[in-house]
Each structure stands twice: as structure tokens, then as C-alpha cells.
Amino acid sequence: MLKLTLGVAVCLCLVMPSSLLAQRHGWSAGSQYNRMYDPSTVETLAVEVKSVEKISPMKGMSYGVHLTVKTQAQKALTIHLGPAWFIENQDSQIEEGDQIEVTGSRVTFEDDPLIIAAKVQRGDEVLTLRNDLGVPLWSGWRKGAKQ
């Protein structure tokens, strides 16, 4: 009995650090990255998509999708959408040349301004990524809680 209990304790010690790391550095709602979203800095911009790329925003995160866009003032801006596995499983995909309206939180990340998107609209299609508080809709998505 003691061997089994010790074995379970060793397994838990090996599994817990990786799950804690994933929560701290991953795409989870409470991660360091997602805590950057600030509802007080939310704005809506009409932009043209210049490129769609996969990036890993922070060490320990899986790939995400970000856009480089041109604003109406002809300035380039980066828009972070969310994890690639979530974005790529949506019915509608954003492509280079699309005219879209982005609503999200303007933040400074690695000394550059960017928008962490909550909603992207292209024509009548709306891709909702976060609720009004910035909680990502992909939290729990894999568990069948698609929102």
C-alpha cells in the first residue's frame, strides 16, 4: 500500500508543475498573457488585413494567430486573435485583404502597441473571441462548452 501511495505522490509531483506552467504561460483564462487584456482600454477599429500569421506570443504557449493590419490612418498595427487550434476551427477565416472591424483591448506587449481582440466582424460575420471582461471563449471549448 505504501508503494502505491508513494507512486501516486511521485506522479502528481511530475504532472502538477507542467499543468501549473501551462496555466501561467498558456492560453488559459488566468494566464499571464490573458491577464493583459484590460476592459478599460477596449476600442473598435476599422482596418484592412495585411497579413495573417501564426506566432507564439510568450514562452510556453502554443501557436496563436495574429494579424498585421493597416488602420484608416494608414498605420500598421498588430492584432492578436487567439490560439491557432481555436481560430482554425471556426466557420469563417480571416484572410489578407479583408476589411474588418476589430474590437479589443489596446495593450503594450514587448514595447509595442497591439490589440488583443475580443470580436472581429467581416460584413455580417462575427467572430467572438472574448466576453466583455476579456475572458477567452476558448476556455472550456474543448470540453464541449463551445460558446
Side-chain angles (χ1 to χ4, degrees), residues 35-108:
R35 286 192 314 264
M36 289 191 311
Y37 188 96
D38 181 356
S40 71
T41 66
V42 170
E43 60 184 272
T44 299
L45 299 169
V47 297
E48 178 183 350
V49 178
K50 290 301 182 186
S51 68
V52 180
E53 301 174 47
K54 287 185 182 177
I55 57 138
S56 183
M58 298 176 106
K59 184 178 178 180
M61 293 179 74
S62 63
Y63 285 101
V65 176
H66 91 201
L67 311 174
T68 301
V69 300
K70 188 190 307 183
T71 67
Q72 289 179 337
Q74 302 298 314
K75 293 186 178 183
L77 182 63
T78 300
I79 310 288
H80 284 201
L81 298 181
W85 59 263
F86 180 80
I87 303 301
E88 292 168 352
N89 280 291
Q90 302 306 304
D91 293 334
S92 174
Q93 297 297 311
I94 298 166
E95 299 175 352
E96 185 177 319
D98 284 348
Q99 300 289 327
I100 60 174
E101 187 175 271
V102 177
T103 300
S105 172
R106 185 178 289 261
V107 301
T108 300

Side-chain angles (χ1 to χ4, degrees), residues 103-115:
T103 300
S105 172
R106 185 178 289 261
V107 301
T108 300
F109 181 68
E110 296 180 350
D111 296 326
D112 291 319
L114 63 87
I115 302 285

